[in-house]
Amino acid sequence: MTPSPPGPRRRIVAAGAAALLLVGAAAEARAALPPYWQRLRELQAILDSNDLAQKLRDAPIDRIERPGEDLYRIQAGPCTLDIRIVDDPADSAQPAMPGPRRFHIEAGEPACR
């Protein structure tokens, strides 16, 4: 005697359970960008900053270093300036939502020779 194939109701229940598991796993995991793309977003935010351009007196950026986590050091002509990557406060107040990291930059004061 051959076993009968599962009925349509059983397949619907199994598909629903699988869908719930996938949705639950996706809700728990924060879908951060891969490091390459996150770093690119951080650098773009630095380059787009009007505050940074004013602090550097519109001098072109000669070098960008990353001496530590969420810290960049900018050199423009005779001036050096540290930039911090800071999580947006609204992002940390809410439960983890899927998507890229929400942040803003904070520019320190330039040190010019």
Side-chain angles (χ1 to χ4, degrees):
M1 183 174 228
T2 60
S4 62
R9 183 175 182 177
R10 187 176 218 173
R11 280 183 277 182
I12 291 171
V13 169
L20 284 174
L21 285 173
L22 287 173
V23 168
E28 289 182 24
R30 181 165 175 92
L33 291 175
Y36 175 87
W37 297 107
Q38 179 61 40
R39 184 86 38 93
L40 183 64
R41 287 187 73 221
E42 292 169 0
L43 290 169
Q44 192 63 52
I46 290 168
L47 295 173
D48 289 342
S49 173
N50 289 330
D51 184 39
L52 177 64
Q54 289 174 349
K55 287 186 177 200
L56 294 174
R57 301 179 205 139
D58 291 323
I61 294 173
D62 296 316
R63 185 161 87 196
I64 299 177
E65 297 176 2
R66 187 173 180 267
E69 188 69 28
D70 292 339
L71 176 65
Y72 289 89
R73 186 157 294 133
I74 312 299
Q75 182 178 352
C79 298
T80 303
L81 170 62
D82 285 348
I83 300 282
R84 293 216 171 267
I85 304 296
V86 180
D87 289 328
D88 281 339
D91 197 35
S92 60
Q94 298 174 355
M97 298 295 292
R101 179 183 184 191
R102 294 182 190 112
F103 66 92
H104 64 274
I105 65 170
E106 291 181 357
E109 292 303 315
C112 300
R113 341 177 208 133

